[in-house]
Amino acid sequence: MPRPEIEFTDYSNFELAPIDGKVVGLSQRVISEGSSTQEMVRILEFAPGTDTTPNGVQVHNYWEELYIVKGSIIDLTLNKIFTAGMVASRPPGMQHGPWKSTDGCIMFEVRYSK
């Protein structure tokens, strides 16, 4: 994964870009990513009221580690709220989501291959 050389900086220095797809209100700030892989380090942001139901339940072939920095999300399948300070570690093949965020949510996410 190509990584830029960055000393501590405010995460808002990375461009906030909407994520293409069926869901309005999802954005990301990419810190680093592999150009030919799905590996990525990013800040994922849910605007208040975002509902990812159109994306359905997610399953992918990479590991995903997440930390909720601010706000909360509701897992609509589990009917459970996850809040700031909570973490997730999702192995390849793990089902998760969809989610809704009433007040918005900011997460730090790392994706890497098996």
Side-chain angles (χ1 to χ4, degrees):
M1 175 186 310
R3 295 177 184 256
E5 191 173 290
I6 301 169
E7 188 48 84
F8 284 106
T9 186
D10 194 278
Y11 80 96
S12 65
N13 289 329
F14 296 90
E15 178 187 0
L16 180 63
I19 296 174
D20 292 334
K22 305 172 195 173
V23 175
V24 175
L26 282 180
S27 300
Q28 65 184 359
R29 297 174 190 271
V30 175
I31 298 168
S32 64
E33 65 183 324
S35 58
S36 63
T37 68
Q38 293 178 308
E39 295 181 351
M40 174 186 284
V41 177
R42 70 179 179 172
I43 304 297
L44 177 62
E45 299 190 24
F46 285 67
T50 300
D51 184 339
T52 69
T53 298
N55 288 343
V57 173
Q58 300 291 295
V59 178
H60 36 68
N61 63 355
Y62 49 82
W63 278 90
E64 187 175 59
E65 313 283 351
L66 299 111
Y67 172 72
I68 300 176
V69 177
K70 182 179 179 182
S72 64
I73 57 172
I74 302 164
D75 185 303
L76 298 173
T77 299
L78 300 175
N79 193 28
K80 187 169 181 181
I81 299 173
F82 300 107
T83 59
M86 298 179 104
V87 299
S89 181
R90 299 180 183 138
M94 179 179 169
Q95 294 185 357
H96 51 284
W99 306 273
K100 184 174 184 177
S101 183
T102 305
D103 299 321
C105 186
I106 298 175
M107 287 187 265
F108 176 73
E109 177 181 344
V110 178
R111 295 178 178 179
Y112 54 94
S113 301
K114 302 182 201 184

